[in-house]
């Protein structure tokens, strides 16, 4: 929505500017025209009045009066009412539009033109651009004083101005509509030109925010937006380098720790064999315990730094990022269950499996799915007291594969549930258990890297983790 | 051929690690020779033809994968155990495609390494662990059937007769999965009808507590969910 609003707003602005201009222009034009034609109509009536006053009606019979009225009406193109001094109607020409011009000729030359009856002259001003309104008549009236107290009232003069006005208004409307539409289109195009690089920038920064540090804005321009894009790209590049260096450092450090640790553990193993007293043996075993803690820690750090490095990070041996394969989550779940079964049995924890018989193919990296399953099952077995159970299920739900690992363990304290996925976070109630607080951070990073999501529900009677992955 | 006379070449650049390996593998009775570079290691392997090569992936003069391939191209057929630093599966698979027989990811335990060496040697030079053999192996545990003794790291382990029979049966068929019913039939035999699945679980648990280096995380006697048990190969 927000991405379109610039185009929409600019199009609307342009359109309203065009509309305003059109309204002002149209208003002035039509006003001037109306005034002009109003004066023209008055002048026409006055001129007609002079003409009639110059040819007063005869003082004869009714037929002569009627003929006069009709002749007057035809010659002035108005309706002529003739009144006597007392205001009594003497003659009415009828509407000039219905008068037969031929009759005027008859008045002069006697009768015999009956077949021309009904002939009409075309309207001088045409009938407007869109037809109709050709016979419009003015609503103005004018009294013309005549001799002997009689007077004529002129009305229904041709409203020539009206037709012209309507015509002009119609033309104006067409022109205004066209102008508004063109202006809106122009506004939209201009906005689109401005918005395209902005959209590209927005997309790049969105991708960046999602963790894809290789995102760059593709803007090939030299204006202000182009400069913004350039500086964004420079910033992104710097950030990527910094983050990569940091991650590489963590990964390298974990590597480097691995070698002396191997030597240390081997030496401690030898020392354990060489130990002659129980005291010596237990001391060496304690040292070995700490060494394997370090072991696990460096392995976890290495895994986490790899996961968070994302696709952009080539590993230390120069390998390239691998594409995800189609992996069967059901088979991996069975494998992971096998990996933890002995430990669970030895700890007196029942391991129950509910794994889909059919394959659950997902597009993911095998090692990362193994980390997810391994860490969740490890935790479940570790935090479940003897006599409890761990339930692993893998099934299809719509177009996703859903893995759940439920235990009857110690649970996660409610006030710590927000931070379980954090690095090195360990809940207060698990301080006595071995662990480094990286397991769930690895789970989350691995799941999200493979376009899945992980949630959990926990109470003091157990915890259930739920991993959803899109099926391939 | 008794394992004690077998020779092992260790190609590892880090002296601290190498020293510990040489000593650790040596205490198992193998003849161990150490080379610090890939080139010298390959030369030694070519000249002396050791029974097994332990090869580090990161070497000062190149990648262990390349030296592994080189040895195979030279026609050396003995087992090669790769030591990798990365938990990356790609590296492992690559290592095996290069002709390595097995791999271990650093950091690893000496005990684990020795167990792998033993199993590789057994596979390559005569299967000592068979139904008829007098001495059986389960990881770093040695079972002497004629003497009825079990030892780990040279220390004797006290097993009950049932635990001993259970271990011997599993060690005679390493890697094979047995259901609880099959174990009752083969280990408890004629009295089988008096025992149930729970009996097996209890004995397995106790056996692990005695023979496993880390009973809480068993690596020898493994549970196979829904099927039964097997001995790690």
């Amino acid at each position: 929505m927000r991405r379109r609003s610039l185009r929409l707003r600019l199009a609307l602005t342009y359109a309203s500017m065009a509309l305003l201009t059109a309204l002002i222009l149209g208003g002035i034009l039509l006003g001037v025209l109306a005034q002009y034609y109003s004066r023209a109509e008055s002048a026409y009536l006055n001129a007609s009045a002079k003409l009639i006053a110059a040819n007063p009606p005869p003082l004869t019979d009714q037929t002569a009066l009627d003929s006069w009225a009709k002749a007057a009406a035809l010659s002035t193109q108005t309706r002529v009412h003739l009144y006597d001094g007392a205001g009594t109607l003497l003659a009415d020409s009828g509407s000039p539009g219905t008068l037969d011009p031929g009759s005027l000729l008859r008045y002069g030359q006697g009768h015999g033109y009956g077949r021309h009856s009904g002939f009409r002259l075309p309207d001088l001003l045409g009938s407007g651009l869109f037809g109709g309104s050709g016979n419009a008549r003015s609503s103005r009236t004018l009294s013309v004083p005549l001799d002997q107290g009689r007077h004529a009232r002129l009305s229904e003069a041709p409203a020539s101005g009206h037709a012209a006005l309507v015509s002009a208004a119609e033309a104006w409307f067409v022109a205004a509509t066209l102008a508004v539409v063109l202006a809106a289109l122009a506004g939209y195009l201009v906005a689109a030109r401005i918005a395209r690089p902005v959209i590209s920038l927005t997309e790049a920064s969105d991708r960046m925010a999602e963790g894809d540090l290789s995102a760059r804005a593709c803007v090939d321009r030299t204006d202000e937006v182009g400069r913004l894009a350039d500086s964004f790209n420079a910033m992104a590049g710097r950030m990527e380098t910094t983050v990569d260096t940091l991650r590489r450092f963590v990964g390298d450090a974990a590597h480097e720790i691995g070698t002396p640790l191997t030597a240390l553990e081997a030496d401690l193993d030898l020392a354990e064999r060489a130990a002659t007293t129980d005291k010596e043996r237990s001391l060496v075993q304690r040292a070995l315990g700490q060494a394997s803690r370090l072991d696990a820690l460096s392995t976890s750090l290495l895994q986490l730094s790899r996961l968070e490095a994302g696709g952009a990070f080539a590993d230390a041996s120069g390998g390239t990022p691998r594409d995800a394969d189609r992996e069967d989550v059901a088979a991996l779940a069975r494998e992971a269950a096998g990996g933890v079964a002995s430990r669970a049995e030895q700890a007196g924890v029942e391991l129950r499996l509910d794994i889909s018989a059919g394959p659950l193919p997902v597009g993911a990296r095998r090692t990362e799915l193994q980390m997810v399953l391994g860490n969740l099952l490890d935790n479940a077995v570790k935090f479940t007291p003897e006599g409890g159970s761990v339930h692993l299920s893998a099934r299809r739900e719509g177009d996703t594969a859903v893995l759940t690992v439920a235990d009857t363990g110690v649970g996660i304290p409610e006030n710590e549930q927000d931070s379980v996925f954090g690095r090195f976070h360990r809940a207060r109630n698990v301080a006595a258990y071995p662990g480094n607080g990286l397991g769930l951070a690895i789970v989350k990073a691995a799941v999200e890297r493979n376009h899945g999501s992980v949630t959990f529900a926990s109470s003091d009677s157990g915890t259930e983790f739920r991993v959803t992955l899109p099926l391939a | 051929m008794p394992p004690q006379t077998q020779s092992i070449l260790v190609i590892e650049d880090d002296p601290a690690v190498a020293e510990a390996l040489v000593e650790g593998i040596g205490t198992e009775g193998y003849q161990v020779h150490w080379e610090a570079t890939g080139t010298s290691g390959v030369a030694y392997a070519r000249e002396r033809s050791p029974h097994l090569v332990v090869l580090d992936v990161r070497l000062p003069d190149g990648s262990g994968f390349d030296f592994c391939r080189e040895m195979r191209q030279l026609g050396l057929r003995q087992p090669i155990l790769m030591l990798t630093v990365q938990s990356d599966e790609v590296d492992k698979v690559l290592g095996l495609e290069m002709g390595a027989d097995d791999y271990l990811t650093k950091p690893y335990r000496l005990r684990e390494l020795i167990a792998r060496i033993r199993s590789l040697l057994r596979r390559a030079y005569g299967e000592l662990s068979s139904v008829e053999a007098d001495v059986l192996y389960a990881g770093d545990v040695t079972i002497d059937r004629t003497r009825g003794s079990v030892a780990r790291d040279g220390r004797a382990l006290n097993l009950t007769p049932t635990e001993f029979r259970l271990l011997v049966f599993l060690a005679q068929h390493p890697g094979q999965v047995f259901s609880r019913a099959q174990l009752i039939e083969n280990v408890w035999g004629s009295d089988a009808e008096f025992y149930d699945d729970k009996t097996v679980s209890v004995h397995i648990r106790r056996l692990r507590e005695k023979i496993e280096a880390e009973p809480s995380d068993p690596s020898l006697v493994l549970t196979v969910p829904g099927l039964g048990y097997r001995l790690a190969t």
Side-chain angles (χ1 to χ4, degrees):
Chain A
M1 284 302 281
R2 197 171 300 150
R3 282 180 199 167
R4 272 183 204 118
S5 80
L6 182 59
R7 289 185 234 180
L8 191 67
R9 278 191 343 231
L10 209 58
L12 282 177
T13 309
Y14 273 46
S16 38
M17 270 161 60
L19 188 65
L20 199 67
T21 313
L23 280 176
I24 292 171
L25 268 177
I28 293 172
L29 178 73
L30 292 179
V32 167
L33 268 179
Q35 229 178 347
Y36 171 78
Y37 283 118
S38 172
R39 279 205 300 272
E41 276 175 19
S42 295
Y44 187 90
L45 275 178
N46 287 332
S48 302
K50 273 184 193 157
L51 186 66
I52 286 170
N55 297 285
L59 298 168
T60 50
D61 57 0
Q62 188 60 32
T63 321
L65 285 175
D66 284 345
S67 293
W68 177 86
K70 285 201 168 91
L74 274 170
S75 57
T76 61
Q77 278 298 311
T78 61
R79 184 173 188 159
V80 179
H81 290 88
L82 184 62
Y83 299 93
D84 65 7
T88 315
L89 181 65
L90 294 176
D92 178 2
S93 67
S95 184
T98 59
L99 288 178
D100 178 3
S103 59
L104 183 61
L105 303 176
R106 287 196 294 276
Y107 303 139
Q109 301 191 2
H111 305 286
Y113 291 86
R115 36 173 205 279
H116 290 292
S117 183
F119 177 79
R120 299 246 320 99
L121 288 169
D123 194 322
L124 273 176
L125 283 149
S127 50
L129 273 183
F130 298 92
S133 71
N135 291 319
R137 295 275 153 186
S138 169
S139 56
R140 283 165 191 275
T141 59
L142 186 69
S143 279
V144 186
L146 299 168
D147 54 348
Q148 299 185 357
R150 292 183 299 182
H151 70 275
R153 191 163 63 88
L154 307 184
S155 62
E156 298 183 29
S160 47
H162 179 262
L165 269 179
V166 167
S167 227
E170 283 164 350
W172 170 83
F173 183 75
V174 171
T177 309
L178 208 64
V180 167
V181 169
L182 284 176
L185 196 69
Y188 183 85
L189 290 177
V190 169
R193 247 189 81 72
I194 296 174
R196 204 181 309 123
V198 175
I199 289 168
S200 167
L201 259 170
T202 311
E203 280 169 358
S205 64
D206 278 353
R207 272 169 57 205
M208 198 108 184
E210 281 160 18
D212 177 8
L213 298 183
S214 65
R216 297 289 181 275
C218 302
V219 177
D220 183 22
R221 287 166 70 144
T222 49
D223 58 6
E224 291 86 342
V225 182
R227 280 189 50 207
L228 176 62
D230 285 347
S231 83
F232 173 85
N233 285 345
M235 181 200 73
R238 229 186 130 76
M239 224 163 94
E240 191 185 14
T241 315
T242 310
V243 171
D244 264 10
T245 309
L246 272 176
R247 282 174 177 161
R248 228 178 267 267
F249 174 77
V250 175
D252 287 350
H255 264 151
E256 293 309 313
I257 289 169
T259 303
L261 212 49
T262 303
L264 179 64
E265 288 195 294
D267 282 339
L268 284 171
D269 276 332
L270 290 172
E272 190 189 10
R273 286 182 202 196
T276 47
T277 66
D278 284 349
K279 176 75 181 164
E280 280 172 10
R281 201 166 293 126
S282 81
L283 279 174
V284 171
Q285 276 165 357
R286 252 163 62 189
L288 269 171
Q290 294 309 305
S292 55
R293 248 181 95 174
L294 270 175
D295 226 41
L297 181 61
S298 82
T299 307
S300 296
L301 278 174
L302 193 57
Q303 285 176 346
L304 197 57
S305 79
R306 289 240 171 112
L307 285 173
E308 296 192 333
F313 177 65
D315 62 35
S317 69
T320 46
R322 284 146 285 131
D323 282 332
D325 292 322
R326 274 167 73 95
E327 294 292 346
D328 179 9
V329 174
L332 286 174
R334 267 187 285 273
E335 191 188 297
V340 82
S342 308
R343 219 176 311 154
E345 187 178 22
Q346 213 60 14
V349 172
E350 189 198 353
L351 180 64
R352 287 190 287 132
L353 305 182
D354 178 13
I355 295 172
S356 158
L360 297 172
V362 299
R365 294 163 187 85
R366 186 183 180 82
T367 42
E368 290 166 15
L369 292 179
Q370 285 169 331
M371 284 178 208
V372 171
L373 282 159
N375 275 305
L376 289 179
L377 285 171
D378 265 4
N379 279 353
V381 170
K382 190 161 69 178
F383 298 131
T384 301
E386 186 163 2
S389 67
V390 169
H391 185 194
L392 167 67
S393 87
R395 60 186 182 276
R396 182 185 290 263
E397 266 182 29
D399 54 1
T400 59
V402 176
L403 288 165
T404 60
V405 178
D407 63 46
T408 57
V410 294
I412 303 163
E414 213 172 310
N415 57 353
E416 301 198 35
Q417 294 194 352
D418 290 338
S419 42
V420 285
F421 291 115
R423 254 156 274 197
F424 296 111
H425 177 84
R426 303 203 66 211
R428 271 178 293 108
N429 61 342
V430 300
Y433 297 86
N436 53 35
L438 287 176
L440 288 178
I442 290 173
V443 167
K444 191 173 169 65
V447 168
E448 289 179 353
R449 205 157 109 90
N450 291 291
H451 314 294
S453 61
V454 55
T455 57
F456 69 93
S458 186
S459 67
D460 52 9
S461 60
T463 305
E464 179 181 294
F465 277 88
R466 184 184 160 94
V467 174
T468 310
L469 292 159
L471 283 172
Chain B
M1 193 191 315
Q4 278 69 18
T5 64
Q6 290 173 320
S7 59
I8 291 166
L9 167 65
V10 174
I11 308 177
E12 158 73 62
D13 64 319
D14 191 282
V17 176
E19 215 175 307
L21 291 188
V22 169
E23 192 175 342
I25 300 169
T27 53
E28 295 297 309
Y30 300 105
Q31 276 181 14
V32 193
H33 179 83
W34 168 44
E35 289 291 340
T37 65
T39 319
S40 62
V42 171
Y44 179 90
R46 200 173 177 184
E47 204 175 301
R48 312 290 279 277
S49 214
H51 288 92
L52 183 142
V53 179
V54 177
L55 176 60
D56 191 17
V57 170
R58 283 188 163 187
L59 290 167
D61 55 339
S63 147
F65 298 124
D66 296 334
F67 291 117
C68 181
R69 201 193 297 140
E70 197 183 330
M71 281 190 276
R72 288 294 182 240
Q73 281 165 357
L74 287 170
L76 299 173
R77 293 271 158 267
Q78 46 271 79
I80 297 175
L81 175 63
M82 305 259 338
L83 301 179
T84 70
V85 238
Q86 289 148 15
S87 47
D88 260 8
E89 202 186 34
V90 136
D91 296 337
K92 292 174 179 174
V93 171
L94 198 63
L96 296 180
E97 278 173 0
M98 292 297 172
D101 297 271
D102 203 355
Y103 60 86
L104 263 180
T105 305
K106 281 184 186 175
Y108 50 83
R109 294 293 295 273
L110 193 54
R111 176 184 298 128
E112 209 181 342
L113 176 72
I114 289 165
R116 297 287 178 99
I117 289 175
R118 270 212 194 109
S119 121
L120 281 175
L121 286 172
R122 277 203 301 272
R123 259 190 269 159
Y125 308 101
E127 195 60 49
L128 292 173
S129 197
S130 68
V131 181
E132 281 80 31
D134 286 340
V135 179
L136 299 167
Y137 299 96
D140 55 354
V141 172
T142 314
I143 308 153
D144 190 330
R145 292 178 70 197
T146 49
R147 289 205 237 147
S149 66
V150 178
R152 196 184 72 226
D153 291 353
R155 268 194 292 279
L157 304 171
N158 279 320
L159 265 58
T160 65
T162 309
E163 286 161 4
F164 184 77
R165 284 202 305 275
L166 185 58
L167 178 61
V168 166
F169 181 72
L170 288 170
Q172 281 171 335
H173 312 90
Q176 201 175 326
V177 181
F178 295 101
S179 69
R180 289 176 178 81
Q182 283 173 313
L183 288 177
I184 288 173
E185 200 185 314
N186 288 287
V187 175
W188 279 267
S190 53
D191 301 331
E193 59 207 276
F194 300 110
Y195 300 99
D196 61 10
D197 290 1
K198 199 147 188 159
T199 314
V200 180
S201 304
V202 168
H203 278 90
I204 290 275
R205 212 166 152 175
R206 282 204 206 123
L207 177 63
R208 281 172 175 160
E209 277 159 15
K210 290 179 180 172
I211 67 165
E212 294 280 355
E214 249 167 296
S216 63
D217 188 9
S219 60
L220 298 178
V221 181
L222 303 177
T223 307
V224 184
L227 296 176
Y229 298 96
R230 69 181 173 89
L231 192 81
T233 45

